[in-house]
Amino acid sequence: MSQSKRRPSKIKETYPKGHYKYMGFLIEYKQDSGMGNFPPCPKSKLNGLEAQLGITLPLSYRELYLILGCQWAFNIMGVNDYRFPEFEQMRTYAESYFEVCEQDSEIKSDLVFTDNLFVFSVFKQNGFFNFFYLDEGENPAIYEYEGGNGYYKIAEDMADFIINKVGWYEGYLIGKRWEEEKNKKRI
C-alpha cells in the first residue's frame, strides 16, 4: 500500500449522540442545516440492499443512511457519478478504472479487489474512488484510490472521514465556530 497521507484531526468531537454509536454528531448538522425534513433511509431498505449485495454494511455507514437519508448519504462526498443504489455499477467502474490505470502506470499498486472491498464514492472527472473494507469492523478506515498514484488511507474511520475530509461538514463546523466567536464578542 502507498504511504498513508494522514493529517491531524481538525476538531475533537465526541462521536456518539443520541442512540447512534458513531454518526450521532450528524443529527445536529441535519437540524442546523435545514435538512430536518429529509427522511431517513428506512432500515428495511438497507436490509434489502445488504441482501441484494450479499454483504453486511458497517454500523457507521448504516448510520449515515439512517440519519441523512438514502440520497444524501450515498452522495456523502458531494460528488458521485452514480445514484443510489448503484453500488454494483460503482464497483464495476472502479475495478475497470483501476485495471486501466495499473496498465498505464509505471507505479503498480498492491490494491486487490476482494469481496471485502466496498466502493462508496466515485468521481470520474478527478480520477478517484473511495472505499473501505467490510471486514474492518463497525467503523472502518477509509481509503482513496487516485488514478496512477495508488491508494492510501485518508481517515482512521468513517466518523473521522466525515469530520475531517468531507467539505460540506467542514464548512458547517467553520460556520458554527464563526457564529460562536461572533456571539462571544457580543457578550
Side-chain angles (χ1 to χ4, degrees):
M1 175 170 41
S2 300
Q3 288 284 338
S4 175
K5 292 183 181 181
R6 185 162 146 87
R7 296 184 313 184
S9 290
K10 297 175 191 169
I11 183 169
K12 298 277 187 202
E13 278 199 37
T14 303
Y15 295 161
K17 223 174 216 170
H19 63 279
Y20 295 99
K21 188 171 181 181
Y22 300 105
M23 297 296 156
F25 62 92
L26 289 173
I27 294 170
E28 183 178 5
Y29 165 79
K30 187 174 177 178
Q31 293 166 344
D32 291 350
S33 67
M35 288 181 56
N37 295 334
F38 286 82
C41 188
K43 286 182 182 179
S44 60
K45 197 171 213 174
L46 287 174
N47 294 341
L49 179 65
E50 286 177 327
Q52 175 190 342
L53 298 174
I55 62 170
T56 299
L57 294 169
L59 180 59
S60 59
Y61 193 63
R62 283 180 64 89
E63 287 181 358
L64 284 177
Y65 284 84
L66 295 173
I67 295 170
L68 299 178
C70 296
Q71 301 304 324
W72 189 246
F74 187 83
N75 195 26
I76 197 71
M77 290 292 291
V79 291
N80 192 346
D81 287 313
Y82 294 88
R83 300 289 173 246
F84 182 83
E86 296 176 332
F87 290 103
E88 291 167 323
Q89 294 89 329
M90 257 194 316
R91 181 186 168 96
T92 299
Y93 172 81
E95 196 166 1
S96 297
Y97 176 70
F98 168 75
E99 289 171 4
V100 168
C101 288
E102 290 296 296
Q103 289 173 0
D104 292 345
S105 177
E106 293 178 19
I107 303 168
K108 301 296 181 202
S109 170
D110 63 351
L111 180 63
V112 177
F113 272 77
T114 65
D115 290 343
N116 284 322
L117 187 145
F118 186 83
V119 176
F120 69 91
S121 181
V122 171
F123 190 34
K124 293 177 185 176
Q125 184 176 350
N126 285 5
F128 72 83
F129 58 87
N130 298 105
F131 63 95
F132 53 80
Y133 290 100
L134 294 167
D135 61 353
E136 286 190 352
E138 293 181 343
N139 195 15
I142 305 301
Y143 301 88
E144 183 168 282
Y145 178 82
E146 190 176 359
N149 293 321
Y151 76 107
Y152 46 90
K153 184 189 296 187
I154 60 172
E156 292 300 315
D157 56 47
M158 183 65 75
D160 178 54
F161 173 70
I162 300 296
I163 292 169
N164 293 304
K165 298 290 183 184
V166 175
W168 54 261
Y169 192 73
E170 182 179 19
Y172 165 71
L173 292 176
I174 291 168
K176 189 175 169 181
R177 281 182 282 202
W178 180 78
E179 280 294 323
E180 289 170 359
E181 290 298 318
K182 190 170 91 172
N183 289 336
K184 283 181 187 176
K185 290 179 182 178
R186 289 185 189 167
I187 297 177

